[in-house]
Amino acid sequence: MLALAFLVVALIGFFTAPSRAAPIDDQFQAWLQTDFWPEARSKGISKKTFDAAFLGVKPNLKLPDLVTPGETPTTPEKQHQAEFGPPASYFAEKIVRAVTTGGRTRESANARVLGLIEKRYGVPGEIVLAIWGRETGFGGAKMPYDAFEVLGTKAFMSTKKDFFRTEVLAALDIVERGLAPVNAMKSSWAGALGQPQFMPTSFLKHAVDFDGDGRPDIWNSTPDVLASIANYLVHYGWVRGRGWGTEVTVPANVSCSLEGPDQGKKISDWVAMGIRRVDGKAFPASELKAEGFLLMPAGRSGPAFVVTPNFYVLKEYNTSDLYALFIGHAADRIAKGDAIFNASWGAVGDLHRSDIAALQHALEAKGYDVGSADGLPGFKTRRSIGVWQAKNGKPATCFPDANLVAAIK
């Protein structure tokens, strides 16, 4: 009788237990065939290309920013990308020097090609070299991921599904057009391709055939790689004949909250406010009438700069002030020799991304425009911090720290 009772309980449990969701791999395959394939077919992708691209592909659950189907996304506690750590770490001398030393070597080896590129696109060779060096170590970095695994996973279950859906369709288009075979489509963890680290849509828009072999090859052709980077920058508005910016000193009476691409002034106006180049030289007369922007990526705890619109073109390559500054700084060192920033980076940063997001939400609740409460201390967050500090009788630092997070919350 006891055994019979256990059997009855087990049977009741079997019939009343909720059905479990299908394994992620099965959900992914169902999504590919019933959701994604019809759209790919409507975009001109053949079944042969589609099947070859996704042969054996399973979702890679180790990729960042994924959301399990049915769950709600949350702000990650930690962010391991260098752009979100202490600013000083981003400019570690061994990292900068690797790009500048390698850039000078390759500047000599590719002088003719770089000259032709600068003539056609107006982008200095050292800028192109700095991006090439930063992105993949001048092509030396290995791309360990299958692009269709990365892009497919993210289109299926990332926090930016629509963005990656567009990218994986573009990746399929690259193969369909015969611009690259499936087995060449290796990428970074973000799905970026080749030596310039182009997303697939950027490849289709900006990759150029500069060596004249009939197709743009950002995997193996140095001329194509360099020209494609320059073409990308031109597309986003690179101004021929202007640099990216210069380090300056900012007097204490000039608020750090004046930074940002929407608060530009004539460079002569910045000079009238007491801002000076750290090298002691005057701004060229041709620049004084042009627009410049204040940049203080670590607030008062680091170097300050007056930058040109070209700085913000560099940000189109990677939406980080530190990245664009790295490229400009490295380019200067390739062209003029190694020289560190005049001002030092203070001991700031290294907060969890969730801490900064909490700070941003608190500022938003008080009516400040932080751009987006994404956990990243962009210029709108920095200057909002400065304004809040000034209104509350505190010295304006324009950069988040642990004490500030607690005070504003």
Side-chain angles (χ1 to χ4, degrees):
M1 291 296 293
L2 186 61
L4 180 59
F6 278 122
L7 178 60
V8 170
V9 170
L11 288 172
I12 291 173
F14 176 81
F15 286 112
T16 60
S19 59
R20 294 182 179 179
I24 292 293
D25 288 0
D26 293 344
Q27 293 183 57
F28 178 70
Q29 293 301 323
W31 170 81
L32 276 179
Q33 299 305 323
T34 62
D35 183 336
F36 190 60
W37 160 240
E39 182 177 6
R41 179 177 54 197
S42 73
K43 302 290 186 183
I45 306 302
S46 67
K47 193 68 165 64
K48 178 181 178 181
T49 294
F50 189 88
D51 289 345
F54 290 105
L55 179 65
V57 170
K58 297 180 180 181
N60 184 342
L61 303 183
K62 295 181 180 180
L63 296 172
D65 300 324
L66 301 184
V67 180
T68 302
E71 292 187 358
T72 303
T74 58
T75 301
E77 181 181 352
K78 293 185 178 181
Q79 172 54 257
H80 297 293
Q81 278 182 276
E83 286 86 353
F84 316 129
S89 300
Y90 203 84
F91 295 93
E93 181 60 19
K94 66 177 181 180
I95 298 174
V96 180
R97 193 175 289 274
V99 173
T100 58
T101 302
R104 281 194 290 271
T105 299
R106 287 162 181 81
E107 187 175 38
S108 175
N110 297 281
R112 178 179 174 277
V113 168
L114 289 168
L116 292 172
I117 288 171
E118 184 164 357
K119 183 177 180 180
R120 178 179 297 184
Y121 299 103
V123 180
E126 55 267 21
I127 289 286
V128 174
L129 289 166
I131 291 174
W132 186 26
R134 178 66 189 180
E135 291 298 325
T136 57
F138 308 102
K142 303 301 180 184
M143 295 297 108
Y145 295 94
D146 178 297
F148 292 104
E149 176 187 272
V150 170
L151 297 170
T153 298
K154 288 178 172 285
F156 172 59
M157 59 185 299
S158 81
T159 56
K160 298 193 293 182
K161 290 181 182 180
D162 291 344
F163 171 84
F164 284 103
R165 190 178 183 102
T166 299
E167 293 299 337
V168 72
L169 285 167
L172 288 166
D173 196 20
I174 291 170
V175 175
E176 186 70 32
R177 294 189 196 183
L179 300 174
V182 167
N183 61 11
M185 297 289 282
K186 302 298 182 183
S187 76
S188 69
W189 60 264
L193 305 171
Q195 296 187 39
Q197 286 292 271
F198 279 177
M199 295 303 290
T201 54
S202 291
F203 175 91
L204 292 174
K205 292 176 185 175
H206 309 303
V208 295
D209 171 24
F210 205 72
D211 63 11
D213 70 352
R215 69 182 183 92
D217 181 0
I218 63 170
W219 293 271
N220 305 296
S221 168
T222 296
D224 289 6
V225 168
L226 298 175
S228 296
I229 293 171
N231 190 45
Y232 183 101
L233 297 177
V234 168
H235 174 86
Y236 284 103
W238 184 270
V239 180
R240 183 187 291 263
R242 292 197 78 185
W244 66 271
T246 188
E247 187 180 355
V248 298
T249 57
V250 179
N253 66 335
V254 176
S255 175
C256 52
S257 64
L258 290 176
E259 78 158 314
D262 55 349
Q263 297 193 105
K265 301 178 185 295
K266 289 182 180 179
I267 290 179
S268 59
D269 292 337
W270 292 118
V271 172
M273 295 167 70
I275 289 177
R276 298 289 184 268
R277 290 171 54 136
V278 297
D279 60 10
K281 298 178 181 178
F283 285 94
S286 60
E287 284 287 293
L288 290 173
K289 296 179 181 179
E291 189 173 32
F293 311 89
L294 184 62
L295 172 74
M296 301 180 74
R300 286 286 179 182
S301 297
F305 307 86
V306 167
V307 299
T308 74
N310 285 341
F311 175 85
Y312 294 102
V313 173
L314 294 176
K315 274 192 72 174
E316 294 290 344
Y317 216 97
N318 181 321
T319 54
S320 160
D321 285 332
L322 296 183
Y323 176 88
L325 182 58
F326 184 102
I327 297 304
H329 178 60
D332 285 350
R333 288 174 58 162
I334 290 170
K336 305 170 186 176
D338 288 320
I340 63 173
F341 294 121
N342 184 269
S344 59
W345 298 97
V348 294
D350 210 17
L351 290 173
H352 289 167
R353 186 167 167 179
S354 56
D355 294 329
I356 299 174
L359 171 68
Q360 291 167 323
H361 283 301
L363 285 167
E364 283 185 326
K366 298 177 187 298
Y368 291 91
D369 178 11
V370 299
S372 162
D374 56 5
L376 314 178
F379 73 91
K380 287 187 175 181
T381 295
R382 296 195 297 268
R383 71 191 188 189
S384 292
I385 288 170
V387 173
W388 181 89
Q389 289 171 321
K391 284 185 177 180
N392 287 271
K394 301 177 183 295
T397 65
C398 296
F399 205 79
D401 59 50
N403 291 333
L404 184 67
V405 171
I408 293 181
K409 288 171 64 178

